[in-house]
Amino acid sequence: MDLRQLRYFIAVAEEGRIAWAAERLGMQQPPLSQQIKAIERELDVQLFRRRPRGVELTDAGRTFLENARVMLAHLDHTFETTRRTARGEQGRICIGVTPTGPFHPFAPRVIRTFRGDFPLVSLTLEECLTNDLIERLQNEKVDVAFLRTPVANPGEFAISLLLEEPMVVALPSGHVLARSNDGGAALSLKVLAGETFLLYGRPAWLGQHEAIIAACRAAGFSPRVGQEAPRVTSTLGLVAAGLGISFVPASVQRMNLDGVTYRRLKGITQAKAILSLAIRRADNSPVVRQFVNLVKRAAKDFRLQQK
């Protein structure tokens, strides 16, 4: 017995007449009658009682109908689930973000959009430092990752640059430059010559730190480097405590930390904070493909909105 025969049986049971069921199925009546008899022979039971104006189910027929409907419903669900999975509309995805990733409005926004567009996808988030995130991506514990620093040797990863943003300086709120009455005008690097610079996130942010140091030297001074911290959040804690200043991505200003004031900079155009998306080149997951396509479209729209 095959699925086609089950559908034949259900059509006859629901229509109550073989002629009507044949019309519904788009076939002739004699072949349909033969199929019903073949099912009864295989089961060795009578499923229908023949009446002058049609057929009616026997007790065995009613039991068979109930289970046949359940079987077909389960198979239909299986088929549709398989199709949705192949289209990337169902499945799982683990998204990695760096500690500063959520401060940029783009990452949370695009993740919310993906959840709304693909509600059947199980989505989890993991926050790690850049080096740990790359390792987890390599070990297939994370499927995609939002990165804030360049990857020197992408190798097995495909990296898509999404957005760039300027760096700003984080100052202790009591600092004279934080309290100046100039309407928040951008600061020149030269006025920071005597400050202690706090660094974070090395070695991942090494290239960014080198760009900042090069900009300072171009402004006529070598920056005095003080304490280092693993994360931007812990660095801002040091700034709030008055231990120095730090350059951070502009989006970090969204974190309103007591004791820290942010000021724009001029003369440091070569130091940009990036937001990129990394995936494994060999990853053929339909869900990952859907996510990457959505992110790239959203990044293009975001850039247009910022112009």
Side-chain angles (χ1 to χ4, degrees), residues 291-305:
F291 184 77
V292 170
N293 290 339
L294 186 149
V295 168
K296 289 182 177 179
R297 291 194 305 268
K300 183 178 179 181
D301 293 341
F302 191 92
R303 288 192 297 268
L304 291 174
Q305 293 169 9

Side-chain angles (χ1 to χ4, degrees), residues 40-92:
E40 290 181 320
R41 284 197 301 271
E42 183 173 343
L43 295 175
D44 195 24
V45 297
Q46 183 180 0
L47 299 174
F48 294 101
R49 295 188 187 90
R50 277 63 180 176
R51 297 298 185 190
R53 293 191 175 185
V55 295
E56 67 177 13
L57 288 166
T58 63
D59 289 344
R62 281 189 286 273
T63 298
F64 189 61
L65 175 62
E66 179 180 343
N67 286 281
R69 282 172 169 163
V70 171
M71 289 172 61
L72 285 183
H74 179 72
L75 284 171
D76 287 343
H77 174 74
T78 300
F79 295 157
E80 183 55 31
T81 298
T82 302
R83 294 187 188 103
R84 284 198 297 262
T85 301
R87 294 192 298 262
E89 299 170 1
Q90 185 168 334
R92 298 177 178 274

